[in-house]
Each structure stands twice: as structure tokens, then as C-alpha cells.
Amino acid sequence: EAQVTQNPRYLITVTGKKLTVTCSQNMNHEYMSWYRQDPGLGLRQIYYSMNVEVTDKGDVPEGYKVSRKEKRNFPLILESPSPNQTSLYFCASSSRLAVRSGANVLTFGAGSRLTVL
Amino acid sequence: AQSVTQPDIHITVSEGASLELRCNYSYGATPYLFWYVQSPGQGLQLLLKYFSGDTLVQGIKGFEAEFKRSQSSFNLRKPSVHWSDAAEYFCAVGASNDYKLSFGAGTTVTVRA
């Protein structure tokens, strides 16, 4: 089944304790992206990657890092989490061919709910 | 830069009644428009999309949306709502040959029996 898999789905941590949220897709998609969802703000893009070793900042990158060493994986790293990073996080992917044809349909993971105390 | 406004934060509708969710976008060129639905505890699922052609677009689960360029709108409709339609709905705008999508703040739909 074509899907985007995120782990963990739920996490409670404390301020300053480094954590990584993994994201993996099995569709051979070039494009991957991380969003955070907050009430009243919708989805805001954190980072995105156009392909392996190519990443760039989205709208709200502060406090986050990403890496894209393999095509299928795009982990989100919080080096020193703070309470304002408490949020619901989504990973999404799309194919370059789909974008060029005008069909940039993102496939989303199920979400990772992070609480930072 | 592109942006999306969903004026209604929360809508309550009776089962069997019609539903309309509003979406207004801001974009300088021809937009690519999407509606996604997020059921409780789930990721986002694409309901429908508009790129060009017929301005009335049919999607899954009995939803449709109409693109009105003069009003910069892309409202989502369903003639008869089912209890399973209770969810949060997001409108998004993108551009040709561009990966970036901008999402609205979302509209939560509650369905009462």
C-alpha cells in the first residue's frame, strides 16, 4: 500500500531533550515536506526537500532541522525542544512528475502529536 | 505570495442537510486549488482538486467544489451530509510547477443527528 509513515504517533517530552520524528514513504517520491498544525493557524510548512541532499526552509523553520540522506526518509529533528513546539506534525510527499503535470497532490502521514513540557 | 482564507472556523449541520464550506484565495496567476479532509486522529485526505477546465469539480464522498475566478473563491459543497462527514476541512492553493501549497486555517464540521 502506498503510504507515508510517521513515528512516533504520540510523544511527550521535556524541554531541551533532543528528539527525532521519522518519516518514510514507499512511493519513490522526490518531494517531501514537514508541516505543523496548530488550532486556528492551519498547516504551516517547516521544511521541505526536493530530492536527496536538497532541503530548504519553509515558513516556520526555527528550532527544527531536517536531513534527506535517502530518498524514502525525511526525519524531523528538534535539537532542544521548547513548549511552543507542542503541536501536531505532518509529513507529506509528492512526485516531481505530478508537480510538473500540475497535479501536486500531497500524500500525508497520519500525524505525530508532540507535547513538550 | 499565495494565501487562503476560510472564513468559518466551525459549522454545525444536521444529518441529511446540505453543507457549504467557504474558501477564498489570493494568488496572482491561475491557481491550483485543493480541498483536503482530516478525520479525527487521521492524516489529510484529498477530496478534490482544480487545475483547469470545468469550474465545477467532483470529488470523493459526494463532495463538489466550484471555482469562481471573479470572486477568488473555491467553495466546497455536499447536498446531503452524513454523520461520517464530521471532520476538519482544509482548502489549499498552489501553483503550476511549484511544490508549495498554502493551507487555510481549516473549518471544523460537526454533524448532529
Side-chain angles (χ1 to χ4, degrees):
Chain A
E1 179 189 355
Q3 60 185 358
V4 177
T5 303
Q6 298 178 225
N7 280 296
R9 293 290 312 280
Y10 301 92
L11 178 63
I12 300 175
T13 188
V14 296
T15 298
K17 185 176 182 182
K18 179 180 178 180
L19 67 91
T20 299
V21 185
T22 64
C23 173
S24 180
Q25 50 92 6
N26 62 0
M27 296 166 282
N28 201 36
H29 282 170
E30 293 83 8
Y31 176 78
M32 297 185 73
S33 180
W34 277 103
Y35 290 86
R36 60 177 289 173
Q37 182 185 359
D38 301 290
L41 297 177
L43 278 78
R44 294 178 293 168
Q45 191 179 49
I46 303 171
Y47 269 95
Y48 63 95
S49 170
M50 307 282 269
N51 213 327
V52 175
E53 300 293 358
V54 181
T55 63
D56 209 345
K57 297 177 180 178
D59 299 318
V60 288
E62 295 78 19
Y64 304 95
K65 286 175 57 178
V66 293
S67 68
R68 187 89 183 273
K69 294 183 170 57
E70 306 165 281
K71 197 172 187 178
R72 64 183 293 123
N73 296 324
F74 190 46
L76 179 70
I77 303 158
L78 286 73
E79 294 271 3
S80 182
S82 62
N84 65 12
Q85 293 178 297
T86 292
S87 187
L88 178 58
Y89 291 87
F90 286 102
C91 182
S93 71
S94 181
S95 74
R96 182 191 301 139
L97 179 61
V99 172
R100 288 182 175 174
S101 69
N104 183 18
V105 176
L106 293 173
T107 300
F108 283 85
S112 297
R113 185 167 293 281
L114 170 65
T115 302
V116 183
L117 302 175
Chain B
Q2 61 227 38
S3 66
V4 175
T5 302
Q6 293 180 245
D8 305 304
I9 297 172
H10 191 196
I11 288 179
T12 299
V13 60
S14 297
E15 191 168 15
S18 63
L19 173 68
E20 182 167 11
L21 304 183
R22 295 184 290 164
C23 171
N24 294 100
Y25 68 89
S26 174
Y27 185 63
T30 300
Y32 288 4
L33 295 159
F34 306 81
W35 275 100
Y36 283 86
V37 60
Q38 182 184 21
S39 298
Q42 303 295 315
L44 279 76
Q45 180 184 22
L46 181 72
L47 280 177
L48 48 79
K49 59 186 183 291
Y50 170 79
F51 297 132
S52 64
D54 193 346
T55 57
L56 186 61
V57 180
Q58 302 298 320
I60 62 171
K61 304 186 180 187
F63 284 92
E64 66 177 26
E66 186 171 12
F67 170 58
K68 292 185 177 180
R69 184 186 299 275
S70 61
Q71 298 177 18
S72 297
S73 69
F74 188 56
N75 294 349
L76 181 72
R77 297 192 293 257
K78 185 168 184 177
S80 177
V81 169
H82 187 261
W83 65 265
S84 61
D85 293 322
E88 189 162 17
Y89 293 79
F90 292 94
C91 183
V93 63
S96 173
N97 209 25
D98 186 353
Y99 289 102
K100 183 174 177 61
L101 285 186
S102 296
F103 287 84
T107 298
T108 300
V109 173
T110 298
V111 180
R112 59 181 174 221

